Amino acid sequence: MSRPMSGEVSLWMDAPPEKVWDLVSDVTRIGEFSPETFEARWRHGHDGPAVGARFKGHVKRNGVGPTYWTPCTVTACEPERLFEFVVGTDELAVNNWGYRLEPRDGGTLVTEYFRLETRRALRLYWLVLGRLRGLTNERGMATTLRRMKDVVEA
C-alpha cells in the first residue's frame, strides 16, 4: 500500500486558541517559523485571513533552494479553529496546507497538515519522491510548530 499524499504533525501549546490563531493565520509572519517559506505577502487588496483571500509565499525549497514565489488562496478560515490554503493557481492547484486548533484544558493542540492534489502528475511525483518529501514536510511542520510554541508560551 502506498503512503497517502498527505501528512500532519501536532504539538500541544500552553496558550489559548486566540493567541495561537494570531500566528497561524497571519501569513506575513511565516518567515519567523518555517524552515522553507521565509516570507509571505497578502495580494490583490487582501490584508488578512478570509476565505478567498490571496497571498504569495516566498519559498526556499528544502531550506537550500531553488527559491521561488507561490500563489496561495485561503480555502478555510474559522477563527480559533481552522486555517487552510491551497498552493497554486485557480487552474492548477498543487498542495493544500492548514492548521487545526483544538482548545483543551486552557491550552491548544495545534495540528499542521498538508495534502497534495490528486492529479496524475502529482501521484507519479509522490510515487517516486513521496517518502522523502513527506518526511521533509513533517520535519518542517515540527520545526514550524516548535517555533510558534516558543512565541505563544513566552
Side-chain angles (χ1 to χ4, degrees):
M1 178 179 227
S2 66
R3 180 183 168 113
M5 295 182 10
S6 62
E8 65 179 45
V9 173
S10 297
L11 185 65
W12 174 258
M13 297 189 192
D14 193 18
E18 60 269 12
K19 196 170 180 183
V20 178
W21 173 257
D22 288 344
L23 292 186
V24 301
S25 66
D26 182 355
V27 300
T28 66
R29 294 192 67 185
I30 194 61
E32 297 173 46
F33 312 115
S34 172
E36 284 194 347
T37 305
F38 58 92
E39 70 177 317
R41 299 180 190 154
W42 293 108
R43 302 174 54 217
H44 301 291
H46 299 285
D47 62 1
V51 171
R54 295 182 183 270
F55 65 96
K56 61 182 181 176
H58 207 180
V59 176
K60 190 173 218 176
R61 184 71 166 199
N62 297 318
V64 294
T67 300
Y68 52 90
W69 285 96
T70 60
C72 303
T73 304
V74 177
T75 54
C77 186
E78 300 173 30
E80 301 176 21
R81 288 196 59 239
L82 178 66
F83 181 71
E84 184 177 284
F85 57 93
V86 64
V87 177
T89 64
D90 293 338
E91 297 79 30
L92 187 61
V94 176
N95 201 349
N96 301 272
W97 288 89
Y99 297 91
R100 286 188 309 270
L101 310 182
E102 300 173 47
R104 207 174 350 180
D105 302 322
T108 308
L109 180 64
V110 184
T111 302
E112 182 177 4
Y113 59 91
F114 75 94
R115 180 183 67 256
L116 284 178
E117 293 290 322
T118 57
R119 288 191 329 278
R120 180 177 298 194
L122 290 172
R123 286 195 312 264
L124 179 60
Y125 161 79
W126 195 255
L127 181 65
V128 175
L129 296 172
R131 179 168 168 72
L132 291 175
R133 186 63 210 171
L135 291 172
T136 298
N137 283 355
E138 288 169 7
R139 279 193 302 272
M141 291 185 293
T143 297
T144 298
L145 292 177
R146 278 194 310 273
R147 290 172 178 172
M148 287 180 172
K149 178 181 175 80
D150 289 346
V151 169
V152 298
E153 291 185 355

